Amino acid sequence: NAGVTQTPKFQVLKTGQSMTLQCAQDMNHNSMYWYRQDPGMGLRLIYYSASEGTTDKGEVPNGYNVSRLNKREFSLRLESAAPSQTSVYFCASSEAGGTNYGYTFGSGTRLTVV
Amino acid sequence: LAKTTQPISMDSYEGQEVNITCSHNNIATNDYITWYQQFPSQGPRFIIQGYKTKVTNEVASLFIPADRKSSTLSLPRVSLSDTAVYYCLVGAGGYNKLIFGAGTRLAVHP
């Protein structure tokens, strides 16, 4: 009954370092998403995967790459972290795309780039 | 894209009914209206979804007029634990993603 699991929960990086945020869902959902949320702001879509084998850019994709490893897993990679990428990152999944399917969100990864 | 407009913040007191209205003038024919709730340090949580008229579940009610250009989330008898940010979302036509706005920050006072 885990839903959407994100790892790690917290991470501090130095500018220029790379890291991968992991996300896995156990609900057999087809679509998965990565959002970032800056303090006091709403969520902004980074990348999404409508189905296994496909990925597309969202509103703020620069500086990020994604991999839909299989139906369960969708990872987000920062190749060269910058202080502007300090944020809370949320992964979400839904049965399918479109607004008539509710999204299930993970608990987030709080990333600080110094 | 169907843009939404909702109040930045609202205040209420325990036991009161809270109504949060969202405007979405450019909603597409196939779009549903969905509301999410977010507590601090947590991911958003699905509350309710509707297409037209009225939808009610154990948490809230959603009222949608015939023209669908707005919607109202109604929270009956709020408690302190309802203090959160509430997001109104409308789909981007055929695109497979939801776009979040800034949301409404609801503060419930004793």
Side-chain angles (χ1 to χ4, degrees), chain A residues 31 33 35 37 40-45 48 50 57-59 90 97-108 110, chain B residues 30-34 36 38 41-46 49 87 90-93 95-103 105:
Chain A
S31 301
Y33 315 83
Y35 287 87
Q37 185 172 37
M41 307 283 287
L43 285 79
R44 290 185 292 170
L45 182 66
Y48 68 102
K57 296 178 180 179
E59 304 170 77
F90 290 103
T99 61
N100 48 333
Y101 295 94
Y103 283 26
T104 301
F105 283 82
S107 57
R110 190 174 298 272
Chain B
N30 294 332
D31 287 344
Y32 279 68
I33 300 154
T34 312
Y36 285 78
Q38 186 180 25
S41 301
Q42 295 186 27
R45 181 177 75 104
F46 173 91
Q49 184 179 74
Y87 296 97
V90 176
Y95 292 96
N96 296 321
K97 55 188 186 287
L98 288 175
I99 304 297
F100 283 77
R105 192 171 299 272

Side-chain angles (χ1 to χ4, degrees), chain B residues 2 4 10 12 16 22 24 27 32 56 58 60 65 84:
Chain B
T4 61
M10 295 181 68
S12 184
Q16 290 188 333
C22 178
H24 28 78
I27 188 169
Y32 279 68
T56 298
E58 65 277 6

Side-chain angles (χ1 to χ4, degrees), chain A residues 4-96:
Chain A
V4 177
T5 302
Q6 292 184 236
T7 55
K9 293 191 183 304
F10 301 93
Q11 184 70 49
V12 179
L13 289 179
K14 294 183 179 179
T15 298
Q17 287 185 317
S18 63
M19 80 161 293
T20 299
L21 281 64
Q22 307 287 352
C23 175
Q25 52 91 9
D26 61 2
M27 297 169 286
N28 201 36
H29 283 172
N30 289 302
S31 301
M32 297 184 73
Y33 315 83
W34 276 105
Y35 287 87
R36 63 176 285 175
Q37 185 172 37
D38 299 327
M41 307 283 287
L43 285 79
R44 290 185 292 170
L45 182 66
I46 305 171
Y47 270 94
Y48 68 102
S49 171
S51 60
E52 186 179 357
T54 69
T55 61
D56 284 287
K57 296 178 180 179
E59 304 170 77
V60 289
N62 291 342
Y64 305 95
N65 285 302
V66 291
S67 295
R68 183 73 183 267
L69 305 171
N70 47 55
K71 191 172 186 179
R72 290 186 63 248
E73 299 172 288
F74 188 37
S75 63
L76 178 71
R77 183 161 179 83
L78 287 71
E79 291 291 351
S80 179
S84 61
Q85 294 178 305
T86 293
S87 190
V88 181
Y89 292 84
F90 290 103
C91 176
S93 70
S94 65
E95 184 176 336

